[in-house]
Amino acid sequence: MKKRMRVIRVAAVLAVALAGLLASCSSTSTSPAPEPAAAPGAPAGQQPENLQGQEAERRSLMEEKNRILVQQYLGQARALMQENRYDQAEAAVTQALAIDDKNPEALALYREIGRVLGYRVESMESVRETIAARERARLDQQRFEAERRFEQGQEQLARGEADAAARSFESAANIIEFNPLLSTEMADFRERARAKLAEAEALQRKQAEETVRDTHRQAYEALRAEEEAARKRREEAHARLLSEATERYDRNGFDEAERLVDRVLKEDPFSTTARRMKQSIRDARHEVHERTFQELKRENVKLWREEIEKTRIPNADILTWPSQEYWNDITRKRMDYSPAFDEEETDTVKRLKARMESETLPFQFESAKIPEIFDYIKNVGNIPIVVDPEVQSELAAEDLQIKLNLESATIKAGLNIVLAYKPDLAYTFRNDVVFITKKAKAHGKPMTWVHDIRDLTLALTDFTGPSLNLTAKREEGQGIFGGVTEGKPVVSQEDLQELVRENVGSGTWEQEGVAIDISSGRLIVVHNPTVQREVTRFLNELRRFTGSVVTVEARFLLVKDNYLQEIGVDWRGLGGVQGTLANLDDVTNGADDVASQGWDNNGAGTPTAPTASPSSGLFLDNGEDGDVRARTENIFDRNLGSMLSAIGGFTAQIAILDDLNLNMVIRAVEKTDKATVLTAPRLTVFNTQRSNITLVNQVSYVKDYDVEVAQTSFIADPVVDVLQDGLVMDVRPTISNDRKFVTLELRPTVATLRQPIRTLTTTLGALTTPVTIQLPELNVQSAATTVMVPDGGTVMIGGLRSSLQVQRKSEIPWLAQIPVVGILFKRTGTSDEVGDLIVVVTARIGDLQEQEIQLRR
């Protein structure tokens, strides 16, 4: 019972506190307008009629408010009783009685709750007394709080805290205003609080006005300070710009200096300093440009001369690259031509792929579903695998059991084996995990890309070298410089398309939305980014082989070592110029005797003067007994060798004029010819393409005559032909699959025209002049072979060595055998000719991509 009473007392205290709180909140949230002052002339403490009416209306409103609060508390208590929460219902009824302790409905409900809670309800009088005591305590507390707020407001007003004082006076007036009991009892206190509130509000307005004035003054001063600071900053900025312009002006950077000055003039058009500086800059620019023009003119003339001199320097490099800066620049600019289908793989994906290709797991399952194997790879192999929800639901609905017995297999191989049971599934890498999905969705949406394949399907034209043989018949359409044959491409467009379908994205080309076609030398592919990237990689691998070139250098080395010696003495030449005219008048130079070639001062030689008689070299006149005439002529009817002639050397004539006239001609010559002739044609050709390099001389000659009959005469119309001598190198290289060797089909030919060209004179019949036909001779050296050469290696494919030794002697029998004296009656000649033609071939494989990498090092 005591416990119940304590609960009732606590509830009563809570009700009183709640009522005080509601009054305080009402006072702070509502600020009623201050009552108008008493009419002028009215007695103190007496209110006008309108104020009394307002007071009555206010009290009526308070009573209505209390009634509504009581009904709310009673309704709340009834609801709590229905929920059997009688303790809380008792507290609600107590709050209602705190507002109206005489309300019969609240008293009856209080008794009913007491009976339910099982304690005796005290008499109503005691209840009213208790509630009244509590109400008095609440009133005392509110009165004390109102007085405290009033005193607090006076202190704040004395300190000039108008805002805080107004809040305190308003709070004190509201506490009295919204308590009906205190409103009548402390009406004077309320009026004093209202008066103080008005005084605080007046001070508040005054302080606000002062604050506004101070704010305006501070804003004005701040604005002036900001304008002054901005002016200083602007002047400093202009000074910096002009200073920088001066520095550029000193370094002849007139355009940049003028731009800086224009910035100053744009902000300050009336700047005298900037205007003068701009004019100075323009004057200086004109002067420097005039001087620079002359210097540039002289410099360009020098560069022009240097360029001419540079063109005279032979280039020995097979391939000359531009400067590295230029190459890097065009590489950067033309990166847009390279396809970029998607982002590069992340480092995580690269590591994940490496692990799947290197790490192994045992795949031993008697009977397991595919999702279980995925979980096994994920948990045991520590490979992050995510299955597409669509695929996951499909696999869960199936009852496919897989049996595997692999002791060890790479994770990638095991995963591929499992996916082979579901051909429509595939895996890819997304967000750094292995993503299992439909094959059509594995690599993204199809996209269109045009791959240029004209360089791969280019038909390499074969260039056949000319034939340097005189009797060779040229094929139809073949000129003197050889023929041109349209070659076949390494791979046709159709074959390339089929290669791509078979080797890239195998099995995916029949999917919807996927296509591959060729148009105008371009491969149009509609596929996902992964396959597009693989197609590009596949085509680049083909380019590494088909785009290779081979540089072939053939060295034709001709080594010659020739020697000739001829020594002889002839007794001839007494023809009247020295000594006695003593010709051998019984013999002739010509057809009758052919005694001489006419090598003396009398005979003209054959065949122009066949009747002339040769002169003697020994003459002895015996008077009437007659005379003795003699002549020796030790000649060679042909050259000693084919390379050197006996023309030149030493020739001396010794005459003895006495009773015995002698004339001796001494001839001695010795020649040496040592030469090394190097011809090194260099040719760069595509792999498997036939090509040639030709270095020839063209010589026209009369090879025949067409005879035309005109009345009684014949007219010879010459037939002119052209022959060529020189060098032809015909080659077709084939690079091995490992790019280490080159197989060469070689046809080197060297042809040399013998000079002078032999002639043949004939007639066309009677009453015609002779005609001459030329009979050229070619010394042709040729080889045709197939050899294999290592990259950068050299091989000798042919050599022709010739040696010719000739020893000749022309002498008078017996006399030539006499020691010492015998040399006067003979001629000896020696010729030793040695020649060697060597053909050496060097082949080098050229790869532009490898050379580009070396250029970037």
Side-chain angles (χ1 to χ4, degrees):
M1 189 65 180
K2 292 181 180 180
K3 183 176 181 181
R4 293 290 182 182
M5 291 301 295
R6 284 195 298 271
V7 172
I8 292 173
R9 294 190 185 96
V10 171
V13 173
L14 291 174
V16 173
L18 180 61
L21 181 60
L22 289 173
S24 175
C25 293
S26 299
S27 64
T28 57
S29 61
T30 305
S31 299
E35 297 177 358
Q46 187 176 358
Q47 298 179 345
E49 293 180 359
N50 58 346
L51 294 179
Q52 293 178 357
Q54 291 178 0
E55 181 66 21
E57 184 180 358
R58 186 183 62 78
R59 291 181 179 179
S60 175
L61 291 174
M62 289 297 299
E63 290 175 358
E64 181 65 20
K65 176 181 178 182
N66 291 337
R67 186 182 64 78
I68 293 173
L69 288 175
V70 170
Q71 292 301 323
Q72 289 180 352
Y73 284 128
L74 291 179
Q76 182 179 1
R78 292 189 185 95
L80 293 171
M81 290 174 63
Q82 291 179 1
E83 297 176 2
N84 295 327
R85 296 161 63 183
Y86 289 95
D87 292 339
Q88 298 179 11
E90 181 184 9
V93 173
T94 303
Q95 293 177 357
L97 290 174
I99 298 173
D100 186 7
D101 59 350
K102 296 179 180 181
N103 188 298
E105 186 179 358
L107 293 173
L109 194 59
Y110 187 82
R111 294 191 191 95
E112 183 181 354
I113 292 173
R115 286 193 299 272
V116 173
L117 293 176
Y119 57 83
R120 183 174 59 83
V121 179
E122 299 176 354
S123 63
M124 291 297 103
E125 293 298 331
S126 61
V127 172
R128 291 191 186 96
E129 291 177 359
T130 302
I131 294 176
R134 293 172 180 169
E135 183 66 18
R136 286 193 298 274
R138 185 179 65 81
L139 292 175
D140 292 339
Q141 182 180 4
Q142 291 183 358
R143 185 183 298 106
F144 172 77
E145 181 64 22
E147 292 175 352
R148 188 186 68 81
R149 294 288 180 87
F150 186 82
E151 293 176 358
Q152 183 180 2
Q154 287 182 329
E155 294 176 357
Q156 292 171 344
L157 186 61
R159 292 195 300 268
E161 301 175 357
D163 293 339
R167 288 193 297 271
S168 297
F169 289 134
E170 186 178 10
S171 178
N174 288 337
I175 291 174
I176 304 302
E177 182 74 22
F178 293 99
N179 194 322
L181 299 178
L182 294 178
S183 178
T184 303
E185 177 183 350
M186 302 181 67
D188 294 340
F189 178 82
R190 183 187 64 197
E191 294 304 325
R192 287 191 292 113
R194 292 293 182 187
K196 287 293 184 180
L197 175 60
E199 183 180 352
E201 289 177 347
L203 179 60
Q204 190 177 20
R205 289 192 296 273
K206 181 180 179 182
Q207 291 180 348
E209 293 175 357
E210 293 178 354
T211 302
V212 171
R213 286 194 298 272
D214 293 342
T215 303
H216 289 171
R217 184 177 64 257
Q218 294 174 1
Y220 175 73
E221 294 177 354
L223 181 60
R224 288 191 59 185
E226 180 63 26
E227 290 179 352
E228 182 66 20
R231 184 184 62 80
K232 291 182 178 180
R233 289 195 299 270
R234 188 165 53 253
E235 290 178 354
E236 292 175 356
H238 291 173
R240 287 196 300 271
L241 290 174
L242 293 177
S243 176
E244 187 175 353
T246 302
E247 294 179 359
R248 301 295 175 88
Y249 174 85
D250 294 338
R251 295 198 298 267
N252 293 339
F254 302 113
D255 294 338
E256 185 65 20
E258 186 174 5
R259 187 183 65 82
L260 295 173
V261 173
D262 286 340
R263 288 176 56 185
V264 176
L265 290 174
K266 183 178 180 180
E267 298 178 2
D268 186 7
F270 303 101
S271 175
T272 306
T273 304
R275 288 182 176 275
R276 288 199 301 266
M277 181 174 289
K278 184 173 182 178
Q279 187 61 38
S280 299
I281 291 172
R282 289 183 174 180
D283 295 340
R285 180 196 289 119
H286 297 326
E287 181 182 353
V288 170
H289 282 182
E290 180 66 24
R291 185 172 61 253
T292 303
F293 170 76
Q294 299 297 333
E295 294 177 355
L296 183 61
K297 182 178 180 180
R298 290 192 295 270
E299 181 64 22
N300 284 339
V301 170
K302 293 179 181 178
L303 293 176
W304 173 71
R305 295 300 301 270
E306 290 178 1
E307 189 67 23
I308 292 177
E309 295 297 331
K310 188 184 299 183
T311 58
R312 297 177 180 177
I313 300 175
N315 188 10
D317 296 332
I318 297 175
L319 177 64
T320 302
W321 284 77
S323 65
Q324 185 170 357
E325 292 78 12
Y326 173 79
W327 188 254
N328 292 338
D329 183 56
I330 64 173
T331 300
R332 177 183 55 80
K333 290 180 180 178
R334 296 172 186 173
M335 286 181 65
D336 296 337
Y337 295 98
S338 301
F341 305 110
D342 52 5
E343 297 181 355
E344 295 293 333
E345 295 179 347
T346 62
D347 294 338
T348 303
V349 171
K350 293 179 181 179
R351 290 193 295 269
L352 189 58
K353 285 185 176 181
R355 287 184 53 208
M356 293 178 64
E357 294 175 356
S358 60
E359 296 182 5
T360 60
L361 288 176
F363 289 86
Q364 296 180 342
F365 302 96
E366 289 295 331
S367 179
K369 292 185 176 181
I370 293 179
E372 296 175 354
I373 300 178
F374 288 162
D375 293 338
Y376 169 76
I377 297 175
K378 179 179 180 180
N379 298 325
V380 179
N382 196 21
I383 299 297
I385 296 180
V386 176
V387 183
D388 191 338
E390 178 185 353
V391 175
Q392 194 170 11
S393 60
E394 179 182 334
L395 295 176
E398 293 182 352
D399 193 21
L400 177 62
Q401 301 290 331
I402 297 178
K403 181 178 180 181
L404 293 176
N405 188 17
L406 300 176
E407 295 183 358
S408 178
T410 62
I411 298 176
K412 179 179 178 180
L415 185 59
N416 289 333
I417 293 174
V418 174
L419 292 178
Y421 287 90
K422 296 288 292 182
D424 60 332
L425 299 184
Y427 73 91
T428 185
F429 296 89
R430 294 184 184 175
N431 300 324
D432 297 338
V433 300
V434 179
F435 187 70
I436 309 295
T437 184
K438 294 288 187 180
K439 186 173 291 186
K441 298 166 52 180
H443 303 292
K445 297 180 180 180
M447 61 176 295
T448 302
W449 190 263
V450 179
H451 302 267
D452 195 342
I453 58 172
R454 288 175 295 181
D455 57 333
L456 295 174
T457 58
L458 174 67
L460 299 178
T461 302
D462 289 337
F463 301 94
T464 307
S467 176
L468 300 184
N469 296 327
L470 289 174
T471 59
K473 295 183 179 180
R474 300 189 183 100
E475 299 178 0
E476 183 178 358
Q478 184 180 14
I480 60 176
F481 285 100
V484 178
T485 304
E486 186 67 25
K488 295 182 179 180
V490 177
V491 55
S492 65
Q493 295 183 0
E494 293 74 14
D495 292 342
L496 181 59
Q497 179 179 351
E498 191 63 28
L499 284 173
V500 173
R501 293 176 64 93
E502 292 178 356
N503 294 276
V504 179
S506 179
T508 63
W509 297 100
E510 304 301 329
Q511 298 178 2
E512 184 179 357
V514 174
I516 181 172
D517 196 8
I518 293 179
S519 176
S520 301
R522 294 171 175 85
L523 185 68
I524 303 174
V525 178
V526 182
H527 218 299
N528 58 64
T530 301
V531 174
Q532 296 280 14
R533 191 166 51 247
E534 292 177 358
V535 170
T536 302
R537 188 181 300 113
F538 178 77
L539 296 178
N540 289 336
E541 288 298 326
L542 288 180
R543 288 187 178 95
R544 287 186 59 83
F545 179 77
T546 59
S548 300
V549 296
V550 178
T551 299
V552 180
E553 180 180 1
R555 297 186 179 184
F556 295 81
L557 184 62
L558 177 60
V559 181
K560 297 187 296 182
D561 188 358
N562 302 323
Y563 174 78
L564 181 143
Q565 185 186 71
E566 183 177 341
I567 301 174
V569 177
D570 289 334
W571 297 91
R572 56 186 172 82
L574 288 173
V577 177
Q578 62 272 347
T580 303
L581 177 61
N583 290 336
L584 301 180
D585 49 13
D586 292 335
V587 296
T588 64
N589 290 327
D592 291 339
D593 302 297
V594 193
S596 171
Q597 290 291 327
W599 288 353
D600 53 26
N601 53 354
N602 187 40
T606 59
T608 58
T611 60
S613 299
S615 64
S616 63
L618 180 148
F619 175 73
L620 178 61
D621 187 0
N622 291 328
E624 296 178 357
D625 295 332
D627 57 26
V628 178
R629 302 181 183 187
R631 172 188 178 92
T632 65
E633 187 174 332
N634 300 312
I635 63 173
F636 298 145
D637 58 352
R638 62 174 60 91
N639 294 332
L640 284 173
S642 60
M643 295 298 176
L644 299 177
S645 67
I647 299 175
F650 173 78
T651 301
Q653 183 174 350
I654 301 174
I656 300 175
L657 304 178
D658 201 351
D659 294 338
L660 176 63
N661 292 336
L662 296 176
N663 189 66
M664 179 176 60
V665 179
I666 302 173
R667 175 80 173 142
V669 61
E670 180 176 294
K671 292 184 178 181
T672 301
D673 180 16
K674 294 183 178 181
T676 300
V677 181
L678 174 63
T679 305
R682 181 182 294 173
L683 183 64
T684 299
V685 60
F686 268 109
N687 184 27
T688 71
Q689 182 187 19
R690 183 178 179 181
S691 186
N692 73 87
I693 185 170
T694 302
L695 303 173
V696 296
N697 299 318
Q698 293 184 344
V699 179
S700 300
Y701 69 100
V702 178
K703 75 172 188 177
D704 200 357
Y705 286 90
D706 290 335
V707 180
E708 296 181 3
V709 179
Q711 295 181 358
T712 61
S713 64
F714 297 96
I715 299 175
D717 185 10
V719 177
V720 179
D721 199 359
V722 177
L723 64 84
Q724 301 179 121
D725 72 332
L727 179 147
V728 175
M729 185 179 69
D730 193 325
V731 62
R732 184 196 301 272
T734 302
I735 302 175
S736 63
N737 61 336
D738 57 2
R739 300 176 62 82
K740 294 170 61 178
F741 298 92
V742 180
T743 300
L744 298 176
E745 298 179 16
L746 288 168
R747 297 175 181 86
T749 302
V750 178
T752 305
L753 176 64
R754 290 190 177 184
Q755 296 286 357
I757 299 177
R758 292 192 306 113
T759 60
L760 173 65
T761 302
T762 184
T763 61
L764 301 179
L767 303 177
T768 61
T769 59
V771 295
T772 302
I773 299 175
Q774 293 179 303
L775 303 176
E777 295 182 14
L778 278 179
N779 182 16
V780 180
Q781 297 170 321
S782 178
T785 184
T786 301
V787 295
M788 179 175 288
V789 182
D791 183 15
T794 302
V795 62
M796 185 178 71
I797 64 170
L800 179 60
R801 181 173 297 173
S802 61
S803 178
L804 176 63
Q805 288 186 340
V806 178
Q807 290 185 350
R808 291 179 182 173
K809 183 184 295 186
S810 176
E811 61 184 9
I812 298 174
W814 302 302
L815 294 179
Q817 306 302 322
I818 299 173
V820 181
V821 180
I823 195 173
L824 300 177
F825 304 99
K826 64 180 177 180
R827 179 184 298 271
T828 61
T830 302
S831 176
D832 187 0
E833 298 178 355
V834 178
D836 194 1
L837 176 63
I838 303 172
V839 182
V840 178
V841 177
T842 302
R844 293 183 178 86
I845 300 175
D847 193 320
L848 293 180
Q849 295 181 358
E850 293 178 357
Q851 295 188 18
E852 181 183 7
I853 294 174
Q854 295 178 358
L855 179 67
R856 293 179 178 275
R857 289 179 179 174

